[in-house]
Amino acid sequence: MTYTRLITVFILLVAFGSLSFALTVQYAFGLEPCILCLYQRVPFVVTGLLAILALRLDKNSSIAILIIIVSGLVYLIGGGIAFYHVGVEQHWWLSGCSGSLDQDISLDQLRASLLQKPEKACDDVDWTLFGISMATYNFFFSGILGLATVAAGLQLSKTKKSKQVNDG
């Protein structure tokens, strides 16, 4: 198995594992996700789909290497979403997803909101490990994955180019 395939399989396994973990926490343990939690899942869906696409390509394809680099950038975007979520949890900035009530709400809007199931507030932390929220763990996880994946993709690209020069 080539390094390109190995990294692509790793990306697919990370996507599958991360989404499985999130869905298990949601459905087996009853931790309701907020909208930012759901947004943090999107990069793992995207990288999983990109990995499946890359695995369908030729094992020495330059496009597969490009997909690895793009996957790393998608992980970094996911880290940015997680960082924003941590900021909302810590009240570093305001968000429409926080649990506070909007001051400019009409009586009819208030009545309508009381009749529907409330959305989970993004600053409501249900679970921590060592005082650290899942969004914080995801920030570090996605950031490290992003940097490592981009670095691996760039190294594969550099190796491929130098091999082409030596063969040509």
Side-chain angles (χ1 to χ4, degrees):
M1 182 180 287
T2 66
Y3 286 121
T4 303
R5 291 262 187 219
L6 187 63
I7 293 167
T8 305
V9 167
F10 175 75
I11 291 169
L12 183 59
L13 290 174
V14 165
F16 180 77
S18 298
L19 291 169
S20 296
F21 175 77
L23 292 171
T24 300
V25 166
Q26 179 178 349
Y27 292 107
F29 299 108
L31 295 179
E32 184 181 348
C34 69
I35 192 70
L36 289 176
C37 294
L38 296 175
Y39 288 163
Q40 288 176 77
R41 295 177 188 180
V42 172
F44 294 104
V45 171
V46 171
T47 57
L49 293 173
L50 287 172
I52 290 169
L53 176 64
L55 288 171
R56 298 198 40 93
L57 298 172
D58 182 48
K59 65 182 179 180
N60 293 320
S61 172
S62 296
I63 296 172
I65 294 171
L66 179 63
I67 287 174
I68 290 171
I69 294 169
V70 169
S71 293
L73 296 174
V74 171
Y75 284 137
L76 291 173
I77 290 168
I81 296 168
F83 180 75
Y84 178 75
H85 192 180
V86 171
V88 171
E89 289 176 346
Q90 298 298 319
H91 302 282
W92 294 339
W93 39 74
L94 298 176
S95 167
C97 185
S98 63
S100 62
L101 185 63
D102 188 12
Q103 299 296 329
D104 297 330
I105 190 168
S106 72
L107 188 57
D108 289 332
Q109 291 170 327
L110 180 59
R111 276 190 208 127
S113 70
L114 290 174
L115 295 175
Q116 55 183 286
K117 181 185 176 206
E119 292 182 12
K120 183 177 182 301
C122 295
D123 59 351
D124 183 18
V125 179
D126 285 342
W127 181 87
T128 62
L129 179 64
F130 308 118
I132 300 171
S133 71
M134 284 191 276
T136 306
Y137 282 112
N138 188 30
F139 166 67
F140 288 109
F141 182 63
S142 293
I144 290 168
L145 277 172
L147 293 173
T149 306
V150 168
L154 292 174
Q155 183 62 39
L156 286 171
S157 177
K158 182 179 169 185
T159 303
K160 185 173 178 80
K161 284 180 186 175
S162 70
K163 186 176 180 183
Q164 288 174 344
V165 169
N166 291 339
D167 290 345

